[in-house]
Amino acid sequence: MAFLFRTKPKSDLAKPAKELVARLWQQPVLQKTEEDLAKLLAQMKLILQGTQETESSPEQISHLVTSILQEDLLYSLARSIHMLPFESRKDTQTIFSYVLRFKPLNASASEPPALAHVISHRPEVIIELCRGYEHRESAMPCGVVLREALKHEAIAAIILHDESSETQPAANINQIDPDAKQSGEGVFWKFFPWIDQGAFEVSTDAFTTFRDILTKHKQLVSQYLFMNFNLFFQRYNGVLVQSSSYVTKRQSIKLLGELLLDRANYNTMTEYVDRGEHLKLCMNLLKDDRKMVQYEGFHVFKVFVANPHKSVAVQRILVNNRERLLNFLPKFLEDRTDDDQFTDEKSFLIRQIETMTPPPA
């Protein structure tokens, strides 16, 4: 592999790559710019991964990673990945994934150095990767990198608590106040339109990342949901649960059920099932003409009925609709004869509704 470095020293790839990335923003973009950048990115990938015949050199990798961080190349690539040709986007995804998890030999730090640098000094890299969902071309490569990075709680915290605009620096991990309420303008809140309005491949990938943000780090998310309850569920119910997209609607209802039934989100669950408007929304899902929407809606509905401490608003809705529910539920999804748990849960809910007493006047 030494022939690759006859014209460029092994640690001297990041700077020219950054210069070429900058030229992508200057119109017209020359074909030579794309070709030269593609060659540099391919060389970086080879250094990091090696080949089947040649193992990668820890010394070369360390030099390259250091150079990438010094030149701030990760940020340049993150904001420009949608402008790259297909193969270069794939190479960039590989470079990101490798650099963010690379740990030098005998390293004592628990986090990889590049990841620690991004978390503490360059959170804009993560924010720009999220903004990759604004373009169909960059959605999947950015999503793969984000989900790998989201194994680390600090990355989820940066995304959740971001309040920056495109011209402002993002908050690093040390500047985040977990008790601060969100404005709804940060990058996390953009996932709602990316999921609901994006092209199919954008929407699907964005939802997968969105789900990881909300499920990987339970204590972080539990506090976040409780602090931002009204804003979050106004968006979640209004945009995702009531989406015109069948896939988005079904996935969102299923995730809602998972969030409410997670023991870590107990305070959020009790707040959610106290609201009469949430129960009405859920009861409408039971009447949807698509069976899987009905099924996922049932798993949210059962949380309201099974709650031993129902609010007056919820009690009143259930009692006022008792006869209709008791006529409706026995025939509800009655073809699911092989699902014993569903059958048992439905029978339990019917008994609960039958024995409910009217709330105090």
Side-chain angles (χ1 to χ4, degrees), residues 17-18 20-25 29 33-42 73-96 135-138 141-142:
K18 183 179 180 181
L20 289 169
V21 171
R23 290 184 203 170
L24 295 177
W25 293 84
V29 178
T33 299
E34 293 184 345
E35 291 173 350
D36 289 349
L37 179 57
K39 290 176 184 177
L40 289 176
L41 294 173
L73 182 59
L74 292 181
Y75 175 76
S76 296
L77 288 172
R79 69 186 291 264
S80 309
I81 189 170
H82 66 280
M83 305 171 77
L84 299 175
F86 177 72
E87 288 299 328
S88 294
R89 294 198 299 271
K90 288 171 57 181
D91 289 346
T92 298
Q93 173 190 316
T94 302
I95 291 166
F96 257 101
H135 307 277
R136 182 182 303 197
E137 297 83 0
S138 51
C142 286

Side-chain angles (χ1 to χ4, degrees), residues 257-280:
E258 291 174 13
L259 291 173
L260 295 179
L261 291 170
D262 192 316
R263 198 172 290 181
N265 296 325
Y266 178 79
N267 290 335
T268 296
M269 181 274 289
T270 56
E271 182 75 14
Y272 189 89
V273 300
D274 263 359
R275 307 282 181 96
E277 65 269 24
H278 294 164
L279 175 57
K280 290 178 182 178

